[in-house]
Amino acid sequence: DLTIIGHLSRGRISELYQVWSLSYTCALTCKILSLNAASDPKAVRNFKREAMLLKRLEHPQIVRIFDRGTFEQRDYLVQEYLHGPSLFDLIDLSPNHQLPLPDVIKAVIHICSALDHVHAKGFIYRDMKPSNIILRGGMPVLVDFDAAAPFTPGRKSTSRLGTDPYMAPEQ
């Protein structure tokens, strides 16, 4: 019941498509594992963990998930379609690449609220960057949870995930 409208982007392990859903009668985003990632057990595990986590998260500043499944041996997620610009786009288009301070404070408060919700569910986001924050009606929404991982106090991460130069210095 999904019809592809167009290709949106390609990421590290997945591709995004804008789709039309007959079930929901609206445009949504379909995130599907890339062909290479579909044969990588770690990528598949992370993708399934992302779907499970998004099902557990209900927060206005976190992208909503509608469905998940498999198509031609590739896992996919159906999420809300966010057509607003990313925070990266806003910064890039702003004079001197700086946003007005009140806008920055508002965005930080809302994204910190989303991260607090993720942490309360026992996960760490691990890929915070301006391109993973999309505006919906002027409000920031956190997207792309494939790098999120369960938080275990005292355990050090054995994998290096994130995006340079946004990663923590210790990574």
Side-chain angles (χ1 to χ4, degrees):
D1 70 335
L2 297 175
T3 302
I4 294 175
I5 297 171
H7 187 264
L8 297 172
S9 67
R10 180 171 286 118
R12 186 171 38 84
I13 67 165
S14 61
E15 295 185 54
L16 297 178
Y17 291 89
Q18 182 184 19
V19 296
W20 181 261
S21 169
L22 292 176
S23 299
Y24 296 101
T25 57
C26 65
L28 297 171
T29 298
C30 181
K31 180 177 184 175
I32 188 165
L33 273 174
S34 66
L35 288 172
N36 292 341
S39 61
D40 176 359
K42 187 174 180 180
V44 171
R45 185 178 66 246
N46 288 347
F47 197 83
K48 287 182 179 188
R49 183 173 54 216
E50 176 180 11
M52 179 273 305
L53 176 59
L54 284 172
K55 281 258 189 224
R56 293 177 56 194
L57 298 175
E58 290 186 31
H59 191 278
Q61 268 57 66
I62 295 176
V63 66
R64 293 177 297 229
I65 185 172
F66 289 85
D67 198 4
R68 62 180 268 200
T70 304
F71 176 75
E72 296 181 358
Q73 300 177 333
R74 294 164 61 192
D75 290 314
Y76 69 86
L77 308 174
V78 180
Q79 305 172 351
E80 78 178 291
Y81 173 65
L82 298 168
H83 58 83
S86 71
L87 186 58
F88 181 87
D89 296 332
L90 285 181
I91 293 167
D92 194 41
L93 295 172
S94 295
N96 300 321
H97 302 291
Q98 293 181 350
L99 297 175
L101 186 58
D103 293 345
V104 171
I105 292 170
K106 181 173 94 172
V108 167
I109 289 170
H110 288 291
I111 293 305
C112 284
S113 175
L115 290 173
D116 181 61
H117 184 69
V118 172
H119 296 168
K121 296 294 184 180
F123 283 80
I124 300 174
Y125 181 71
R126 297 197 311 176
D127 197 16
M128 182 55 60
K129 60 185 178 183
S131 61
N132 281 346
I133 300 169
I134 308 291
L135 296 186
R136 179 199 317 120
M139 298 299 289
V141 177
L142 194 56
V143 300
D144 199 4
F145 282 74
D146 67 345
F151 173 69
T152 306
R155 182 178 158 259
K156 292 188 178 186
S157 177
T158 57
S159 60
R160 184 179 179 264
L161 277 177
T163 305
D164 289 329
Y166 303 104
M167 293 169 55
E170 62 271 18
Q171 291 208 359

